[in-house]
Amino acid sequence: MKQEWSERQRPPRLERRLEFPDYEATRAFLERAAELSEQSGVYPDLSFGRTYVNVTLHAPDGATEVDDTLHRFARDLDVLVAPADDVSAAPASRDGSASA
Amino acid sequence: MKQEWSERQRPPRLERRLEFPDYEATRAFLERAAELSEQSGVYPDLSFGRTYVNVTLHAPDGATEVDDTLHRFARDLDVLVAPADDVSAAPASRDGSASA
């Protein structure tokens, strides 16, 4: 599980915060995430403003831990975040220089 | 100000919760709201899941009350909620019968 996601308990969930350079990038990400939800049937709780998106993946009611379905969705969502988009990532990757 | 919006203090803001019959309706509303934001330059904090959207319109930092810009955005947003969409509205309007 890449470091950007935090796994929490009570209730069991995965959380990640994304920040974007502008609303256009935020909106493009939300569009891609919506398509992923429709394909996978997993619907995260998303809260967003102009340049941020907080993603929460709740385990189903009664579950005691986050299952593989959510971990897989989290990984798929990571793929949708173009490196140049997520400005909350380490500064080195924000200036567009090819990171090793 | 239509009854669906709640005005709160500390910090000053307008809040409204919308519920939709399915994800398609939720997504269509979010799309319309995004366009309204780009036209008006007002960017609410939205949190949503498969069939709900919570809208929060925060007054600018330092403001002591919600100003006309936000009240106008709230009214414009109301227009975007097609009567059949918002299932949190009164039951009479949900079955599609023409309300007086």
Side-chain angles (χ1 to χ4, degrees):
Chain A
M1 174 104 283
K2 249 210 227 154
Q3 170 275 343
E4 289 94 352
W5 290 89
S6 312
E7 187 158 351
R8 303 204 191 287
Q9 293 303 325
R10 289 181 300 284
R13 62 197 186 279
L14 293 177
E15 291 178 351
R16 179 177 179 182
R17 180 180 175 86
L18 297 161
E19 290 174 14
F20 296 91
D22 53 40
Y23 186 64
E24 203 180 334
T26 304
R27 206 177 157 186
F29 168 77
L30 289 168
E31 194 62 36
R32 296 191 297 263
E35 278 151 22
L36 180 61
S37 284
E38 286 181 335
Q39 286 157 15
S40 63
V42 174
Y43 296 92
D45 289 297
L46 295 173
S47 70
F48 70 96
R50 197 172 68 82
T51 57
Y52 76 88
V53 178
N54 290 324
V55 186
T56 304
L57 293 167
H58 284 285
D61 291 346
T64 54
E65 59 178 21
V66 173
D67 63 9
D68 286 344
T69 310
L70 294 185
H71 280 290
R72 198 166 36 247
F73 185 89
R75 283 195 302 272
D76 291 343
L77 211 60
D78 287 343
V79 171
L80 300 182
V81 184
D85 273 351
D86 181 5
V87 297
S88 56
S93 78
R94 245 184 302 150
D95 65 13
S97 58
S99 51
Chain B
M1 174 104 286
K2 251 210 229 156
Q3 169 273 345
E4 289 93 351
W5 290 91
S6 309
E7 186 158 353
R8 301 203 193 288
Q9 294 303 326
R10 290 181 300 284
R13 61 198 186 279
L14 292 177
E15 292 178 350
R16 180 177 179 182
R17 178 180 176 87
L18 296 161
E19 290 173 16
F20 295 91
D22 52 41
Y23 186 63
E24 203 180 332
T26 304
R27 209 178 154 185
F29 169 76
L30 288 169
E31 193 62 35
R32 297 192 297 264
E35 280 150 24
L36 180 62
S37 284
E38 287 181 334
Q39 288 156 16
S40 64
V42 174
Y43 295 93
D45 289 298
L46 296 172
S47 69
F48 70 96
R50 197 171 69 82
T51 55
Y52 76 88
V53 178
N54 291 324
V55 185
T56 305
L57 294 168
H58 283 286
D61 292 346
T64 54
E65 60 178 22
V66 172
D67 63 10
D68 287 345
T69 311
L70 294 186
H71 281 290
R72 198 168 34 248
F73 185 91
R75 282 195 303 273
D76 291 345
L77 209 60
D78 287 342
V79 172
L80 300 183
V81 184
D85 272 350
D86 181 5
V87 297
S88 56
S93 77
R94 246 185 302 152
D95 64 13
S97 57
S99 51

